[in-house]
Amino acid sequence: NAGVTQTPKFRVLKTGQSMTLLCAQDMNHEYMYWYRQDPGMGLRLIHYSVGEGTTAKGEVPDGYNVSRLKKQNFLLGLESAAPSQTSVYFCASSTLYDPQGNEKLFFGSGTQLSVL
Amino acid sequence: GQNIDQPTEMTATEGAIVQINCTYQTSGFNGLFWYQQHAGEAPTFLSYNVLDGLEEKGRFSSFLSRSKGYSYLLLKELQMKDSASYLCAVMDSNYQLIWGAGTKLIIKP
């Protein structure tokens, strides 16, 4: 049972380069999310999706784009990387309904991105 | 604005008990979550509270007081593997999660 799989685990970019992070989940979850985690700060939501073909902006969407063409995949793109985007990125998913009454998140293992 | 406060770091001894506090000010409330995050790893779900009171799960318990905007995570019989960061998150009226910065718990033998 793979859960949420995120690739790559590490990446170094130069300012202005582009890249795509891939997130895949095999739990048939409706909701998927991209977060960034920076030292001394809580997780911040970049973009999220409530279903295939839908995306929405989170707290810090600028400089990022996302796509959810298939229910199991959620892609995060950086078109022109900036040093301020150096961070650890986490993908997460959750179900629409949880029998225990909470929509807990299942996280991928994270991507450490450095932009020089 | 919305805010979650928790201590930055705590130290405790193996075998002891530790309480990690979380206070929140959010636009509405639809539940409070605790997650555990080991260094270099992803957060994993620990507990969920939506009603006042104590929820117990083995060595871990979580308490909520909605009127005080307060929660705590209680860890008993501490083990070295409990060394991790503990993240408090509140779901607001728009069902968005607001995250605290996390409490790094250091366990000493």
Side-chain angles (χ1 to χ4, degrees):
Chain A
N1 188 3
V4 180
T5 304
Q6 223 180 296
T7 56
K9 285 194 67 68
F10 301 94
R11 187 73 188 267
V12 178
L13 292 178
K14 294 182 180 179
T15 297
Q17 287 185 318
S18 63
M19 75 162 293
T20 301
L21 302 183
L22 173 63
C23 178
Q25 53 95 3
D26 62 2
M27 296 174 283
N28 201 34
H29 284 171
E30 293 81 8
Y31 298 159
M32 295 188 75
Y33 313 81
W34 277 107
Y35 283 95
R36 59 178 289 172
Q37 187 175 41
D38 301 291
M41 303 182 72
L43 287 162
R44 292 186 292 169
L45 183 64
I46 303 170
H47 286 280
Y48 65 99
S49 168
V50 299
E52 180 179 321
T54 73
T55 62
K57 294 181 180 180
E59 180 186 358
V60 289
D62 294 343
Y64 305 94
N65 57 77
V66 288
S67 65
R68 187 139 180 230
L69 300 179
K70 292 183 179 180
K71 185 177 183 179
Q72 63 266 34
N73 294 338
F74 195 30
L75 278 63
L76 177 72
L78 285 72
E79 290 187 347
S80 180
S84 61
Q85 294 177 305
T86 293
S87 187
V88 179
Y89 292 85
F90 286 102
C91 175
S93 70
S94 67
T95 186
L96 179 62
Y97 171 71
D98 188 295
Q100 294 179 318
N102 73 79
E103 287 72 46
K104 57 182 174 285
L105 298 178
F106 293 82
F107 285 86
S109 57
T111 298
Q112 173 69 63
L113 175 66
S114 296
V115 183
L116 306 179
Chain B
Q2 307 201 90
N3 194 53
I4 309 284
D5 284 319
Q6 45 181 137
T8 303
E9 187 174 295
M10 299 182 70
T11 302
T13 305
E14 189 177 14
I17 300 173
V18 71
Q19 178 176 310
I20 302 173
N21 296 326
C22 171
T23 58
Y24 63 90
Q25 291 177 308
T26 57
S27 302
F29 180 84
N30 279 301
L32 185 144
F33 296 79
W34 284 97
Y35 283 78
Q36 180 189 58
Q37 185 177 24
H38 285 101
E41 297 184 9
T44 55
F45 171 80
L46 281 179
S47 68
Y48 170 74
N49 295 71
V50 67
L51 300 176
D52 290 351
L54 188 68
E55 295 276 345
E56 296 187 77
K57 271 187 184 182
R59 294 190 299 113
F60 292 10
S61 303
S62 56
F63 171 83
L64 174 67
S65 170
R66 288 173 297 171
S67 63
K68 295 182 178 179
Y70 168 69
S71 172
Y72 67 73
L73 182 69
L74 190 71
L75 290 73
K76 301 177 183 177
E77 301 170 13
L78 286 170
Q79 302 175 10
M80 297 304 293
K81 67 179 181 179
D82 298 328
S83 293
S85 289
Y86 292 86
L87 314 181
C88 174
V90 173
M91 187 169 282
D92 69 11
S93 58
N94 294 319
Y95 294 92
Q96 298 290 325
L97 273 177
I98 313 300
W99 294 83
T103 298
K104 182 179 181 180
L105 178 63
I106 299 168
I107 310 295
K108 296 186 174 180

